[in-house]
Amino acid sequence: MAKKFLVFLFLLAIFTLTIAPVSAQGGGGGTLIGAFDVGPGGAPKVIPFMDTAGRTWLSKIWSPLTTLSPDTSGVAPSLATSWSANDDYTVWTFNLREGVLWHDGEPFTASDVVFSLNLALNPDAATQFSSFSSLSAENVASVTAIDDLTVEIALTEPNPRLPFFTIFLWVLPEHALSDMNPADYQNTDWFFTNPIGTGPFMHDEYVADQFWALVPNPNYWDGAPKLDRLINRYFEDETSAILALESGEIQFTYASGDVALRLGEDENFDLYQGPSGVTNYFIFNYRDPIFQDVRVRQAFLYAIDRQAIAETVLQGTAQVVPCLAGFPSMWPDASELNDYAYNPDMARQLLDEAGWDYSRNVEIATYYNNQFHNDAMAAQQAFLADVGVQVTPLPQDVPTYNSYFYTGEGWDISYRGIGVTLGNFPFNFYVAGGFDTTDGEPLMGMAFPELDDLIAKARVESDPDTYVGLLQDICKFQNQNATEGYMWTAVRFGVGSSSLQDFYWFPAGGGGPYEDHPELWSVSS
């Protein structure tokens, strides 16, 4: 049974290679202007290894070692075409794609992968890679270039699902960055002035807070792109991007459900939609002792009519969830779960028993600023006020939010989203060392020994059925202990001009990265 999951990964890789279309010669496909950093998958001014989102755009310039399949249900080849592990999943071998060139014409080799992973794990670079990849300087024993097209990653502990996490391993050019001091990584302007990647498009022009323009990479390994130019325009909010779309200034943007459904009735636009795989939830900061009381956390859930918000405010585009996982296959039987059906009387009773200070106002930090989430937060605020809990949403841009949230300091509650899949469950959110918090505690500020034990077992479990059972046990624990305030997972929408040809977008958590074949995109005149 230990080999089942590995065989599954190989089949996915082979299937993706089989169906991948071959692009015609690039050029002549027009200019596509999109608002790729609007919505939860966007992150303006993001760079590799600091990317909590924005990967839809990053993958146009840089390539990861592996990528997600088009619907993000599995892992697919990128710069690595195949991979295998030893019997206990502590040594992984990745076979690299032949003939890949960097944008400046230099050949891509295994040394670039070794350089990139070592940089991502370098404590002086202080990247966010470890928090999202399950890889750290402590659990990576060595990274070795066996030859020009083979990389070996040796681990200090088993990781049966490593290829699902190497989607976060952006490969950077050693020859261009080897002289850089890792401590300067986050502040270098190289990524915006002279970036070199292996992706389908190459840097052309960047103006901060305005746009980033790319041109086709004629040597792209999956075929030269058809587009003449690809431009990411920056907008302060979704509304501005929608207005630009409707006026013809851009050809694509993320859109909230209500807006997308309206535009979907217009023959000038096409909808792109799918399950986000992202759970929206309240994360409580247990560093405030009041949130260590399970009665307070449960009261928040009973106080908010999540089903009513999903059906009316969000117009049926969201499904209420019982735990952090957004997919029903990861949930135990409903008989084992508390549905926290709307019960304001129960909420008031629990708050009274816990000694809640009704004069207190709690800020809820969030990086969401679109109408979908604005409406949801307004409804949450009203329901909580009805039981005497005063909260104030605090919307922020992504860089501001990221600058302090992951330290564990400066916030009490955050309304946020997290992508949860079978392949890359975010265990690091729960364990000490998962994020570089100021006090060394787990991100939420407190550990649960029983949950830690389940996570430790799941991380090394190679049998697929047993692994899923452990995820269901984790869901049950989260639900019964209300470790977070679980809300919903939504259908997400992108809206594009009907002039787009062979365009593809999927609502992947953080923007993936996922296989979208941008080399085929074009814009009809």
Side-chain angles (χ1 to χ4, degrees), residues 37-79:
D37 280 320
V38 169
K45 294 181 280 191
V46 73
I47 65 174
F49 301 137
M50 302 305 297
D51 50 308
T52 59
R55 301 178 192 120
T56 297
W57 182 250
L58 286 179
S59 62
K60 302 302 173 282
I61 305 171
W62 295 278
S63 305
L65 191 61
T66 57
T67 190
L68 293 175
S69 59
D71 64 357
T72 73
S73 63
V75 67
S78 183
L79 287 178

Side-chain angles (χ1 to χ4, degrees), residues 222-301:
D222 217 7
K226 294 181 178 180
L227 286 171
D228 299 304
R229 214 163 185 235
L230 178 65
I231 300 174
N232 185 8
R233 262 189 61 184
Y234 297 110
F235 295 89
E236 289 189 5
D237 51 44
E238 176 196 338
T239 299
S240 300
I242 293 296
L243 291 173
L245 177 71
E246 292 184 292
S247 67
E249 297 176 40
I250 65 174
Q251 288 83 42
F252 174 78
T253 184
Y254 165 87
S256 298
D258 55 340
V259 176
L261 295 176
R262 172 177 64 80
L263 293 179
E265 298 176 354
D266 188 330
E267 64 180 9
N268 294 310
F269 301 104
D270 294 321
L271 290 187
Y272 303 87
Q273 65 187 75
S276 65
V278 172
T279 294
N280 297 126
Y281 69 108
F282 286 161
I283 180 171
F284 302 102
N285 196 330
Y286 291 68
R287 293 170 182 84
D288 185 334
I290 193 63
F291 294 123
Q292 294 181 19
D293 193 320
V294 66
R295 295 170 296 187
V296 170
R297 306 192 301 269
Q298 290 177 329
F300 271 68
L301 284 167

